[in-house]
Amino acid sequence: MKVVTFGCRMNAFESAVISKLGGDLGDDVVVVNTCAVTSEAERQCRQTIRKLRRENPKCTLIVTGCAAQLHPELYARMPEVDRILGNHEKLNKEWLHDKNKGHVGDVMQPFELPIVTDFEGRNRAFLQIQQGCDHACTFCIVRFARGPNRGIAPEQVLEQARAFALNGYQELVLTGADVASYPYNLWKISKQILENVPQIKRLRYGSLDPAPLNQTFINLLKKYPQIMPYFHLSIQSGDNLILKRMGRRHTREQILDLVHKVRQVQPNAVFGADFITGFPTETEEQFLQTMDLVKQANITRLHVFPYSEREGTPAAKMPQVPVAVRKERAARLRKLGEELSQKLLQQMIGQKVFVLVEESSRGWTENYLNVILTEKYKPGKIISLTVKGVKDNALVG
């Protein structure tokens, strides 16, 4: 079975679950785990589905994930698609093995996740501890695709963390649709993992909503050096009025304060962030506020999306910015991010770093910078080296 994954780290985890549950389905089954964060993401999913059918004319092609959950009728009409499964059904062995058309159920129902102990081709373990979202960002449809906020119980989180550790994983990534809103307290479960599973040497988080990142979070970073100094924030804009119209729960001032406090306890911290350009009503001056925030906070890993209308969201009814302007602003913001990233890489030359070997010749530093290794090391091993240079947007050492 082949699983093709789009979108977030949560989808990466769920694809591992699919691979485990459907491992006996045979080589003629292809599963496409889709994303629906933007209209463009869905377009790319459909394009890939058509390509996969051309390349595998006799396969059983199953489409699942957020796009299938939101628009099952659209994918059911595609002649390339054999079966459709919703976000709950894709994690259920019986549904994966059912040879009927498929099923897309109610995402508002509770969910259970199987234990996954291995990620083929990866040396970092992804653990989905949370699902869904209770917030109401005016541009977003995640809560319709994933349902309300809920999480797996702390004892199950610890059980799975131990299983990863027994399989030799030293780095664990906690993920979710809104992982900072983990209902059993993200900071508490982080502490429990680090204190009860000492084999986990490095802990990371998926994309974080800045609003819940309080002083308890800062204190956690101060106490536990195992929490890696890289944080990807869901910021979206650097202008307070646009943030309000987006339905976000933070301000630009809170972002700057958060970045400052983190760097006080983790001086080598690196930040990434999601941004939307050309959100409805955004002026050039408001966009420049975003550019300014990126510079002030020195955010060096940018995920930039031109605003994409999602039918049924409040933002789709607001006065729209021309598409060409959205794309032009996205290009400018990406260019700024590339410049800041290159500057950071140059500053790392001569520094000693600790690298998790992801492949025999690549790896990741603690602050999530990619490293090209000049010698071969065993994947999964954490090594110490001195950065010698920069090549192809990566460090060399």
Side-chain angles (χ1 to χ4, degrees), residues 24 66 76 138 184 191 198 262 294 314 363:
D24 57 348
C66 289
T138 60
Y184 301 99
K191 179 179 178 180
V262 170
V294 170

Side-chain angles (χ1 to χ4, degrees), residues 10-299:
M10 187 164 57
N11 254 14
F13 173 86
E14 290 171 347
S15 287
V17 175
I18 293 169
S19 294
K20 175 187 176 183
L21 297 179
D24 57 348
L25 284 175
D27 295 336
D28 61 342
V29 175
V30 177
V31 180
V32 182
N33 194 8
T34 62
C35 173
V37 68
T38 65
S39 297
E40 174 61 20
E42 281 207 64
R43 186 193 68 78
Q44 292 177 8
C45 291
R46 293 192 295 272
Q47 185 181 57
T48 298
I49 289 167
R50 296 185 185 102
K51 179 182 178 184
L52 287 168
R53 174 55 71 193
R54 289 194 302 270
E55 295 173 346
N56 306 273
K58 295 183 180 181
C59 78
T60 298
L61 201 155
I62 303 172
V63 175
T64 186
C66 289
Q69 181 71 45
L70 288 169
H71 306 297
E73 69 292 336
L74 187 156
Y75 293 92
R77 291 196 299 267
M78 292 183 69
E80 297 86 359
V81 177
D82 294 307
R83 285 198 286 139
I84 303 164
L85 295 176
N87 270 331
H88 285 182
E89 289 74 20
K90 70 182 180 184
L91 305 177
N92 183 293
K93 187 170 185 176
E94 291 183 12
W95 280 114
L96 276 172
H97 286 74
D98 192 310
K99 298 190 186 313
N100 295 321
K101 192 64 176 176
H103 183 69
V104 177
D106 183 3
V107 290
M108 299 300 171
Q109 298 301 315
F111 76 106
E112 292 184 5
L113 287 176
I115 295 293
V116 175
T117 57
D118 188 43
F119 288 87
E120 185 177 351
R122 290 180 180 269
N123 290 285
R124 292 177 292 139
F126 293 81
L127 173 49
Q128 184 188 130
I129 63 172
Q130 181 273 341
Q131 180 70 276
C133 182
D134 287 343
H135 307 307
C137 295
T138 60
F139 56 84
C140 186
I141 56 170
V142 166
R143 58 198 178 112
F144 302 114
R146 293 283 183 176
N149 177 35
R150 60 248 196 242
I152 62 176
E155 54 269 24
Q156 187 178 353
V157 174
L158 288 172
E159 178 187 357
Q160 192 155 338
R162 291 190 183 101
F164 283 135
L166 288 174
N167 259 19
Y169 289 97
Q170 297 188 75
E171 181 168 312
L172 180 63
V173 184
L174 301 181
T175 70
D178 181 20
V179 68
S181 295
Y182 174 64
Y184 301 99
N185 192 307
L186 180 58
W187 319 133
K188 186 175 180 179
I189 194 62
S190 298
K191 179 179 178 180
Q192 289 176 322
I193 291 170
L194 295 172
E195 292 187 351
N196 291 282
V197 192
Q199 300 94 328
I200 298 297
K201 305 299 183 184
R202 293 159 62 130
L203 183 68
R204 296 190 192 275
Y205 303 108
S207 183
L208 291 167
D209 179 1
L213 306 189
N214 53 22
Q215 188 59 45
T216 302
F217 167 65
I218 302 298
N219 293 340
L220 196 73
L221 302 184
K222 188 183 301 185
K223 184 174 181 180
Y224 297 99
Q226 302 100 308
I227 299 176
M228 294 294 93
Y230 174 77
F231 306 97
H232 193 90
L233 307 177
S234 178
I235 297 177
Q236 310 303 354
S237 175
D239 182 83
N240 284 338
L241 181 56
I242 293 298
L243 286 169
K244 185 176 181 180
R245 289 173 177 166
M246 286 178 166
R248 303 298 291 161
R249 300 178 300 141
H250 62 268
T251 65
R252 64 175 285 121
E253 290 78 18
Q254 288 170 331
I255 295 296
L256 292 170
D257 182 62
L258 171 64
V259 167
H260 173 70
K261 286 180 177 178
V262 170
R263 286 187 172 130
Q264 281 187 317
V265 297
Q266 291 186 333
N268 63 333
V270 170
F271 290 88
D274 298 325
F275 288 100
I276 296 172
T277 60
F279 184 81
T281 76
E282 183 189 68
T283 64
E284 175 67 13
E285 290 73 21
Q286 289 168 327
F287 168 69
L288 291 177
Q289 284 283 86
T290 297
M291 296 278 280
D292 180 69
L293 176 68
V294 170
K295 293 175 187 175
Q296 285 198 49
N298 193 26
I299 301 171

